[in-house]
Amino acid sequence: MSSKWNKGVSVAALMTTVFYGEAAAQTTLPTINVGHTHAVTHSHGGKKHTHEVYHVHAVPAPRSASPIVVVEESNDGFDSSAQQNTALGPKIDYPAPPKDMPSSSERFFTGGQVNTIPSYRPGEALEVVPGLAVTQHSGEGKASQYYLRGFDLDHGTDLALYLDGMPLNMRTHGHGQGYSDANFVIPEMLAYVDARKGPYNVEDGDFSNAGTIRMQYLRKVPQGVFSTTGGIFNYGRVFGMKSWEFAGGDILGGGEISTFDGPWTIPNNARKINAVLRWSRGEENNGVSITGMAYANRWNSTDQVPTRLFDTGILSRWGTLNPTDGGNTTRFSLSGRWAQESSNDWSKVEAFAMHSTLNLFNDFTYFLGHPIIGDQFRQFDRRTMVGGNAYHAIKFNFLGDKESELRFGVQSRYDDIRIGLGDTLYRMPYDTIRNDHVSEGSIALLTDVKTKWSPWLRTVVGARWDYYWGSNQGLQAYWDSPLSPGVDNPGFDPANPTRIWTGPLNSGTYNAQLISPKASVIINPWDDKTDFYLNFGRGFHSNDFRATTQRFATSELDDNGGYASVPHNGLLSPSTGAEVGVKTRVIDKLESAATLFFIQTAQENIFEGDSGNTVIARGANRIGVEFTNHYRPLSWLAFEGDVTATHARFRGFDRDQADLYAQLLQPDALAWGAWLGNAPGNYLVNATPIIATGVIELGEATGYFANFKYRYIAPRALTEDGFYKSPAIGTVNARVGYRWKEGWKLQLDVFNMFNSRSQQIAYGYGSLVPTDPLFQACTGAIAAPTTDAVCGVGQMGVVGHPIERTSWRVTFGGPLDFDPRSMKGPDLTEPFHLFK
């Protein structure tokens, strides 16, 4: 029997075993090593051994944060970078990773690795990063929710995302500070993803407390690629990219069009169009590029719903309390990059300009604030962002023979923002709570020095200085300001209305600065297979600029009927992070890393269900451990298993929460149970204690292939006292398919394969719906004693967004060639040829 038949039977048997055993899917995005193979004969112990190794064509490595960049093959004969990869069908050249990284938790992934495992939505492609979980609680055009290292990052508050040097986090944003929409990222066009945990690199500034993810698009492709995908719930997508030579360089064009309804009673009706056009010459470290991007999306959204309605059968799991929720967004950008490298120095300059729009219509509390017409509100953001980065490094020998590199740079950014919040009915606004014009700028100066003191000791020491400034002009008009207590609330006096017109009073200017030292030590005491790391750094996130100039609450009065004052907040909130770790390849073909980390924040930005926004809270401590493993025992078999465990708690005591809790324990309030979940405590809301991922990958460059991914998110506290907890989340996604040697590919993706009925995301807060007895008591429909505090809090409970039920998508793709004479279609009988 032929060796090909033996290998085919082995792969098929293992695929079958994994498919029918849920526990077998245990790892994250292993590498497919692609290229051509050749036989190598060597002697060992007096005997000759012959085996196959992969021959790959190296591509220059991107400039990294690593002290000394080296690209070389691993000792097991397989190059871990997978430069030539067929995950997309046709072969794509990806950059090789830097060998030396300054921390045990930093990971580098090629675009091929990112695209190996199926993703339900674009943001989930970032789950290639160990310990990162990406979820969604709304429509398909809204930014994803991120969890990492005990942070509920909301839409990006403490996780810095970059694409081609452009920051994706939007400061002073209409929906939440640090809002980072990755729905426009096209995973197939990624060259690499460089993921750094913690604030240890001088390049990483705002929003980098938990980590920084830098994505880079391809510069060109050796062969065009197209794919078309169709699936359940009216999912459809067409993607393509291709390169052409032009003006001494290369043009790369790519784009996608997609539609999706989802399983919801009110269909998502998501419609997305996305395009990228890039001209480049040379390489990433020695060349120039100009890139334009355009993106538009609109959707309906089924937001989170009180689970008490699911449990009692009042509402379907796929239903909504407001069928008009949804939104639309656009993004247009132009960016450029120039880089030059020699044996003695290197330089890099990046510049970008971006214009974006966002309209969001959400309803998170239903009928709590407006018992008759409901609590839907509109958030809008219109911004133009310009900025640039410049770096220069000089290589020299310190003290005669110590290889060193001195780097210095500048980063700048300016945002011109129109931003607002208002109440709506069926997407029609009827008042304006906030309407502001914010101008916010920043500049950072940074430097570090990397020194190789000996073959076993390297250090990186540096610091950055950040300066922020800006102004806020309130544009709220008197006749648009909200009425108090509201026209549809009990107690409203139409003859004597009071408007809360605070816009002019909340205007002003502000500036702040911060110095952030950073340091890393890398020790290799024994051999080139094990490294130890010590890292320290100061990080920060900026707060919403409006919080620095706000003096009065925008939607409530004080006990005397006057404007309610609010505490002053600063603009920059620092953090301190440290970690110690080890990375080893002592076991053949297994790379493992273990990291112990600590993060202390001065302030937390947390989600507040009542306003649908983030608020500034007291600081917190996080301590945790991360363990990652990548194992490729055979060329056609790979595993990855990652787990991150974090203990996260607030510091200090929440006096305001204690005062509210006392009010909810009064005799007329006690029976309604609004005190449940409202006791003062130190749990960090939605801070995930454990995130684990397991992936198994099967298959060669051509032929049958399969991938299985299991993701686990542990139960987490939804209130500060820990009374309400979310359910655990465990899902399995699978991919099986066949790749032809000509570059064609057919694959089936199955999501939530075992139909988990958990929540995609959950919150714990108060809300009201007409079927609640408390709603009827607060509106006077029934005679029952209650209090203003109870009616202000509402019915406490878990509010969630269910995981979409089992779904499937089929993708067919291959070479994109506009010359029909050179096109060669796939042999459709080939998958059935099990014998030579």
Side-chain angles (χ1 to χ4, degrees):
M1 189 177 291
S2 70
S3 60
K4 182 177 181 180
W5 167 248
N6 287 333
K7 183 175 289 187
V9 172
S10 300
V11 173
L14 188 51
M15 287 170 58
T16 305
T17 302
V18 173
F19 187 84
Y20 287 105
E22 177 177 357
Q26 297 290 324
T27 12
T28 322
L29 297 168
T31 304
I32 297 178
N33 290 282
V34 179
H36 64 269
T37 62
H38 62 276
V40 172
T41 302
H42 61 91
S43 296
H44 179 71
K47 297 181 180 180
K48 290 187 176 181
H49 303 271
T50 301
H51 60 93
E52 287 185 337
V53 299
Y54 281 87
H55 179 73
V56 293
H57 307 285
V59 179
R63 177 146 301 282
S64 164
S66 306
I68 299 167
V69 176
V70 178
V71 180
E72 63 180 32
E73 288 193 353
S74 59
N75 294 334
D76 58 15
F78 297 101
D79 187 289
S80 60
S81 65
Q83 290 97 343
Q84 265 201 350
N85 190 287
T86 59
L88 303 183
K91 291 181 179 180
I92 304 295
D93 294 329
Y94 293 110
K99 178 187 176 184
D100 300 316
M101 296 183 182
S103 72
S104 58
S105 59
E106 183 174 355
R107 292 286 297 273
F108 180 96
F109 303 94
T110 67
Q113 291 172 289
V114 173
N115 287 282
T116 298
I117 303 300
S119 300
Y120 192 79
R121 49 184 59 91
E124 289 185 8
L126 296 179
E127 287 190 340
V128 65
V129 178
L132 176 64
V134 183
T135 65
Q136 179 58 273
H137 72 104
S138 190
E140 293 305 313
K142 190 176 179 181
S144 296
Q145 194 98 356
Y146 307 97
Y147 296 115
L148 180 67
R149 286 196 166 184
F151 282 87
D152 173 12
L153 299 162
D154 195 41
H155 298 294
T157 302
D158 288 286
L159 177 65
L161 299 180
Y162 295 86
L163 177 63
D164 285 352
M166 288 184 292
L168 303 191
N169 302 75
M170 299 292 103
R171 55 199 188 190
T172 310
H173 189 268
H175 183 67
Q177 180 68 355
Y179 184 90
S180 186
D181 183 5
N183 286 298
F184 75 94
V185 176
I186 303 177
E188 293 94 335
M189 297 192 71
L190 289 173
Y192 66 84
V193 173
D194 185 11
R196 307 167 182 164
K197 312 287 181 58
Y200 314 125
N201 191 288
V202 293
E203 289 182 57
D204 303 332
D206 202 359
F207 307 114
S208 64
N209 288 333
T212 301
I213 297 177
R214 295 183 180 272
M215 298 171 280
Q216 194 74 25
Y217 273 160
L218 292 161
R219 300 171 70 87
K220 61 181 179 180
V221 291
Q223 190 174 20
V225 181
F226 92 93
S227 67
T228 179
T229 305
I232 195 173
F233 308 133
N234 291 328
Y235 182 86
R237 179 177 184 258
V238 176
F239 160 77
M241 66 175 172
K242 188 172 176 57
S243 290
W244 300 268
E245 292 184 358
F246 179 77
D250 296 281
I251 290 180
L252 173 65
E256 63 175 338
I257 300 175
S258 69
T259 65
F260 186 46
D261 285 342
W264 315 105
T265 302
I266 302 299
N268 276 331
N269 196 30
R271 302 291 185 265
K272 177 170 75 172
I273 184 169
N274 198 6
V276 177
L277 188 64
R278 160 174 284 178
W279 177 82
S280 62
R281 184 170 61 192
E283 303 295 338
E284 184 174 342
N285 294 346
N286 249 318
V288 63
S289 66
I290 301 174
T291 306
M293 304 182 193
Y295 163 72
N297 199 346
R298 64 174 176 83
W299 66 93
N300 299 323
S301 63
T302 296
D303 290 337
Q304 63 259 30
V305 173
T307 57
R308 61 184 180 271
L309 301 185
F310 300 154
D311 298 338
T312 58
I314 295 175
L315 191 69
S316 161
R317 284 176 57 82
W318 318 112
T320 180
L321 288 171
N322 197 323
T324 62
D325 289 345
N328 58 77
T329 186
T330 64
R331 185 186 187 279
F332 303 92
S333 69
L334 181 66
S335 62
R337 174 190 177 100
W338 171 85
Q340 181 175 287
E341 184 174 29
S342 70
S343 59
N344 297 320
D345 58 18
W346 61 265
S347 301
K348 180 175 68 174
V349 178
E350 300 169 325
F352 52 85
M354 188 276 302
H355 179 74
S356 66
T357 68
L358 176 69
N359 278 296
L360 278 180
F361 298 90
N362 293 314
D363 187 351
F364 299 139
T365 52
Y366 321 113
F367 296 90
L368 177 67
H370 303 281
I372 297 175
I373 61 177
D375 296 349
Q376 188 186 70
F377 57 93
R378 175 199 180 212
Q379 295 166 314
F380 70 86
D381 189 283
R382 309 277 187 276
R383 78 175 58 220
T384 298
M385 176 183 73
V386 295
N389 312 308
Y391 309 95
H392 183 68
I394 302 171
K395 302 174 184 179
F396 63 98
N397 289 330
F398 180 63
L399 296 178
D401 61 347
K402 313 301 182 186
E403 296 178 18
S404 300
E405 180 180 285
L406 173 65
R407 175 176 60 163
F408 46 89
V410 59
Q411 299 173 339
S412 63
R413 172 177 170 179
Y414 177 80
D415 290 62
D416 184 79
I417 314 163
R418 280 293 309 277
I419 184 174
L421 170 68
D423 293 313
T424 58
L425 174 64
Y426 304 131
R427 297 198 184 190
M428 298 296 295
Y430 62 85
D431 69 19
T432 300
I433 298 173
R434 298 231 40 164
N435 185 3
D436 298 275
H437 179 197
V438 178
S439 300
E440 185 173 359
S442 66
I443 188 169
L445 303 178
L446 56 93
T447 184
D448 66 2
V449 59
K450 309 171 186 180
T451 304
K452 186 174 182 179
W453 299 95
S454 70
W456 57 271
L457 177 63
R458 293 177 286 123
T459 62
V460 186
V461 180
R464 61 179 291 136
W465 171 72
D466 288 271
Y467 179 72
Y468 279 60
W469 73 94
S471 65
N472 175 36
Q473 180 183 1
L475 303 178
Q476 180 193 44
Y478 175 80
W479 50 85
D480 285 337
S481 58
L483 293 167
S484 180
V487 293
D488 65 337
N489 278 295
F492 175 71
D493 182 3
N496 228 355
T498 301
R499 288 194 176 272
I500 308 178
W501 184 40
T502 58
L505 305 178
N506 288 328
S507 301
T509 62
Y510 195 82
N511 64 77
Q513 59 182 318
L514 186 69
I515 295 177
S516 305
K518 322 267 188 174
S520 298
V521 179
I522 303 95
I523 304 171
N524 181 262
W526 302 305
D527 53 39
D528 62 352
K529 293 185 177 181
T530 302
D531 294 295
F532 294 89
Y533 303 84
L534 298 172
N535 306 97
F536 168 84
R538 192 183 199 189
F540 71 95
H541 66 232
S542 61
N543 291 323
D544 191 309
F545 190 88
R546 294 171 296 176
T548 68
T549 63
Q550 184 168 351
R551 299 294 177 266
F552 299 99
T554 58
S555 57
E556 63 180 344
L557 301 176
D558 62 19
D559 294 338
N560 299 318
Y563 288 171
S565 61
V566 297
H568 169 76
N569 285 292
L571 183 56
L572 303 182
S573 176
S575 71
T576 300
E579 67 180 52
V580 55
V582 59
K583 186 181 293 183
T584 182
R585 293 188 297 175
V586 170
I587 300 176
D588 188 32
K589 301 179 182 178
L590 171 65
E591 181 176 309
S592 299
T595 306
L596 177 67
F597 60 87
F598 173 78
I599 306 171
Q600 182 181 79
T601 59
Q603 292 177 326
E604 293 283 320
N605 274 335
I606 62 174
F607 180 82
E608 182 186 68
D610 290 345
S611 65
N613 212 328
T614 51
V615 296
I616 299 172
R618 65 193 192 280
N621 294 338
R622 294 170 174 85
I623 185 169
V625 62
E626 182 178 272
F627 186 43
T628 66
N629 298 275
H630 174 73
Y631 183 46
R632 181 176 289 277
L634 301 168
S635 64
W636 53 271
L637 175 64
F639 304 91
E640 186 154 324
D642 310 311
V643 61
T644 302
T646 310
H647 178 82
R649 294 292 185 272
F650 279 117
R651 297 190 309 274
F653 184 74
D654 192 338
R655 175 58 59 184
D656 291 339
Q657 191 67 32
D659 293 342
L660 174 62
Y661 187 62
Q663 296 178 49
L664 299 176
L665 291 177
Q666 298 301 314
D668 288 345
L670 194 61
W672 295 107
W675 52 275
L676 297 173
N678 274 308
N682 290 91
Y683 283 95
L684 270 167
V685 175
N686 252 320
T688 305
I690 297 176
I691 294 176
T693 306
V695 173
I696 182 171
E697 177 192 337
L698 309 164
E700 298 280 12
T702 60
Y704 286 105
F705 63 92
N707 306 286
F708 301 88
K709 173 184 173 183
Y710 173 71
R711 185 192 68 176
Y712 173 78
I713 303 175
R716 55 209 180 276
L718 300 180
T719 53
E720 291 181 20
D721 62 357
F723 180 83
Y724 289 106
K725 289 183 170 61
S726 72
I729 303 174
T731 56
V732 175
N733 295 340
R735 169 175 289 174
V736 294
Y738 189 87
R739 283 187 288 260
W740 284 261
K741 60 181 180 295
E742 294 85 5
W744 299 95
K745 178 185 70 171
L746 178 66
Q747 71 186 29
L748 168 68
D749 294 337
V750 179
F751 300 95
N752 191 14
M753 188 165 66
F754 297 101
N755 199 26
S756 168
R757 292 177 61 84
S758 186
Q759 301 296 323
Q760 184 85 256
I761 197 167
Y763 303 99
Y765 59 81
S767 61
L768 284 178
V769 297
T771 55
D772 292 330
L774 181 58
F775 173 89
Q776 298 167 28
C778 291
T779 57
I782 61 174
T786 186
T787 67
D788 290 341
V790 169
C791 292
V793 168
Q795 179 68 55
M796 287 294 296
V798 175
V799 181
H801 183 77
I803 294 176
E804 293 88 343
R805 60 177 179 256
T806 302
S807 61
W808 55 266
R809 296 171 187 172
V810 175
T811 298
F812 178 73
L816 180 61
D817 195 333
F818 297 123
D819 184 357
R821 294 172 297 178
S822 61
M823 290 285 289
K824 183 179 180 181
D827 179 1
L828 298 180
T829 65
E830 182 180 305
F832 304 101
H833 296 171
L834 299 180
F835 297 94
K836 283 187 176 179

